[in-house]
Amino acid sequence: MNYQAFLIKYGEIAVKGKNRHIFEDTLLSQIQNALRRVEGEFHVSKENGRMYVEALSAYDYEELMDALTKVFGVVGICPMVRLEDEGFDALAEAIVSYVEEAYEDKHFTFKVNARRARKNYPMTSMELAAALGEKILDAFPEVRVDVHKPQVCINVEIRSHINVYSTEIPGPGGMPVGTAGKAMLLLSGGIDSPVAGYMIAKRGVRLEATYFHAPPYTSERAKQKVIDLAKIVARYSGPIKLNIVNFTEIQLYIYEKCPHDQLTIIMRRYMMMIAEHFAKESGCLGLITGESIGQVASQTMPSLAVTNEVCTLPVYRPLIGFDKQEIVDISYKIDAYETSILPFEDCCTIFVAKHPVTKPNLKSIKKSETHLQEKIEEMMQTAIETAEVIYAEP
Ligand code: ATP
Ligand code: MG
């Protein structure tokens, strides 16, 4: 079946009053952005609280669905046949051929759900539904009517055009990106942080990202993997400005001056500080990490408290209560998993102690950090100034 138009369903309940316009306008432009990646010409329109995508040229259905199902705010996509109003007989004929084409196997129960946005139509909704239902029954002896729990609900909407649709492909839900400000994702090459970014973007938040690498201890390939992950997340969130920070000097300095069981925690504190610097510079309202309570030594509640202590912006940890398998499931769903599990070292694995502290004491950590006094400010400044910026496009 060759659909020319799609009804886009979105979560109307969540948006009331003035916000509705912002929600709808942002959704419309995010759909347009997503369609830029699809070959073909499309028109997106808003009409009386409805949104439509119309294909103006040939296109690939799978490719189009792939793009539309990644736009946050979209709850469902209904492939639609759009007809001009040419009287009941023409409509009945069109509906019969719709059923003929859309359902190869006709062994199903159905009902027709007719609605008139235009009240000057010569039949009431009930009359129209009954009359169309009869035509379908006449045409296909295998189908049965079930008005309570039909397997197929054929929607017929009389508007300026007549819309016919009966299937809905689920969208990702959430809020359109751009309706909720911007946040800085600490993006590593692991499984968790791309999922964390996805989840916050799902609430309408634009993303920027910061990655810390430690060449030559971490390779070009490890860096490329993070860029690839940013591109994967960008399919949902839109383009991500990625700051790539050379962390080698700082890591070596911490390694040289601080007790080794505190390395990870101290390192994490400096990462947060540098990421926060970039965040504030570009107007981000928070930081995002992929941390989850108890997953590793640096993610116990005491460790999280000590890491958090250096931040003045809120830190969003959307995975905080998730088990690893739940995170893996989402990673898989968003197509990040295969990339995340590529076996390239990340900068934390090289400098980890055999027995890292699980209950760090803030006083003791701060005392250790005094050993860094001499050069750390200057090193952080250098790390910030020499950061490489990459725009990760989907
Ligand atoms: P992930 O799977 O996201 O790498 P993880 O389970 O390996 O997480 P940690 O290494 O403790 O956990 O990192 C916790 C969080 O800190 C990450 O989710 C990420 O947000 C951030 N982070 C860790 N390493 C880096 C890095 N090299 N660059 C940027 N952010 C990082
Ligand atoms: Mg990691």
Side-chain angles (χ1 to χ4, degrees):
M1 185 115 187
N2 188 8
Y3 295 101
Q4 324 94 292
F6 300 82
L7 167 66
I8 305 295
K9 291 191 173 171
Y10 50 90
E12 290 148 277
I13 304 153
V15 275
K16 295 225 174 77
K18 269 187 286 179
N19 289 338
R20 190 186 173 108
H21 275 292
I22 299 172
F23 180 100
E24 287 177 339
D25 292 347
T26 311
L27 181 60
L28 191 125
S29 66
Q30 291 298 5
I31 291 173
Q32 283 169 334
N33 286 344
L35 292 177
R36 283 201 197 108
R37 308 202 305 271
V38 182
E39 212 170 307
E41 218 186 310
F42 301 93
H43 181 245
V44 191
S45 59
K46 201 172 87 172
E47 185 191 310
N48 304 323
R50 284 301 189 77
M51 213 163 285
Y52 298 102
V53 171
E54 244 182 299
L56 306 176
S57 68
Y59 67 94
D60 181 72
Y61 181 84
E62 296 301 325
E63 200 191 352
L64 177 65
M65 280 306 142
D66 184 63
L68 291 176
T69 51
K70 289 185 170 62
V71 180
F72 291 131
V74 172
V75 168
I77 304 142
C78 304
M80 217 169 65
V81 170
R82 208 166 230 209
L83 308 165
E84 298 299 330
D85 181 7
E86 288 166 338
F88 176 79
D89 291 339
L91 174 59
E93 204 175 301
I95 300 272
V96 166
S97 49
Y98 171 81
V99 174
E100 170 71 53
E101 270 193 70
Y103 298 93
E104 209 172 301
D105 180 359
K106 306 288 188 301
H107 291 89
F108 57 78
T109 60
F110 81 102
K111 86 169 189 184
V112 175
N113 187 11
R115 257 168 298 166
R116 301 176 309 163
R118 186 155 61 74
K119 299 296 174 196
N120 64 356
Y121 195 77
M123 294 164 95
T124 67
S125 301
M126 296 289 273
E127 286 166 355
L128 183 60
L132 289 173
E134 223 161 284
K135 291 285 184 188
I136 294 170
L137 285 170
D138 287 347
F140 310 107
E142 312 94 300
V143 299
R144 294 273 171 277
V145 172
D146 182 345
V147 289
H148 300 296
K149 270 197 178 157
Q151 287 162 322
V152 174
C153 181
I154 300 166
N155 293 283
V156 179
E157 293 181 353
I158 314 285
R159 293 177 168 256
S160 53
H161 294 79
I162 299 176
N163 298 330
V164 179
Y165 60 92
S166 62
T167 50
E168 181 171 335
I169 293 103
M175 303 282 282
V177 171
T179 53
K182 189 162 66 169
M184 177 64 71
L185 170 66
L186 281 92
L187 181 63
S188 70
I191 293 170
D192 306 328
S193 43
V195 173
Y198 164 86
M199 289 185 65
I200 297 295
K202 183 163 185 262
R203 298 309 304 161
V205 178
R206 260 184 298 140
L207 299 181
E208 249 186 54
T210 303
Y211 166 59
F212 297 89
H213 68 156
Y217 301 97
T218 61
S219 64
E220 263 314 289
R221 289 202 302 175
K223 171 176 141 186
Q224 188 56 45
K225 172 180 163 182
V226 174
I227 297 171
D228 292 342
L229 284 170
K231 288 181 181 174
I232 291 169
V233 176
R235 292 177 196 156
Y236 297 87
S237 68
I240 297 175
K241 178 183 172 192
L242 172 63
N243 306 288
I244 300 176
V245 179
N246 186 327
F247 207 49
T248 314
E249 290 301 311
I250 294 176
Q251 263 187 314
L252 289 172
Y253 191 47
I254 299 171
Y255 192 75
E256 179 193 338
K257 300 283 186 189
C258 301
H260 287 186
D261 63 348
Q262 295 181 343
L263 284 181
T264 310
I265 287 289
I266 295 175
M267 210 177 72
R268 305 267 313 119
R269 281 162 61 89
Y270 282 100
M271 280 187 185
M272 295 303 256
M273 281 187 258
I274 294 172
E276 185 169 274
H277 171 89
F278 289 121
K280 287 182 172 168
E281 204 176 55
S282 62
C284 292
L285 300 174
L287 303 173
I288 308 164
T289 74
E291 289 157 316
S292 140
I293 294 173
Q295 202 188 75
V296 287
S298 60
Q299 297 177 28
T300 61
M301 297 255 282
S303 298
L304 289 168
V306 172
T307 309
N308 205 69
E309 196 262 348
V310 295
C311 304
T312 58
L313 286 177
V315 181
Y316 296 105
R317 300 178 172 92
L319 309 182
I320 200 71
F322 279 31
D323 296 343
K324 194 71 187 188
Q325 189 57 47
E326 293 172 299
I327 301 169
V328 165
D329 289 347
I330 302 175
S331 169
Y332 206 78
K333 184 180 84 178
I334 66 171
D335 255 338
Y337 189 69
E338 297 298 330
T339 306
S340 282
I341 59 169
L342 292 173
F344 308 132
E345 70 296 331
D346 77 37
C347 71
C348 314
T349 53
I350 284 162
F351 295 94
V352 283
K354 278 209 184 69
H355 302 288
V357 281
T358 53
K359 282 192 197 131
N361 172 285
L362 184 58
K363 258 199 198 143
S364 149
I365 296 284
K366 283 190 162 174
K367 186 156 168 257
S368 303
E369 285 175 355
T370 60
H371 303 153
L372 304 171
Q373 257 168 2
E374 197 190 330
K375 292 201 258 174
I376 194 73
E377 284 301 324
E378 191 192 316
M379 284 180 164
M380 281 176 64
Q381 203 48 45
T382 306
I384 286 165
E385 281 164 11
T386 59
E388 179 188 357
V389 175
I390 284 182
Y391 289 87
E393 307 264 356

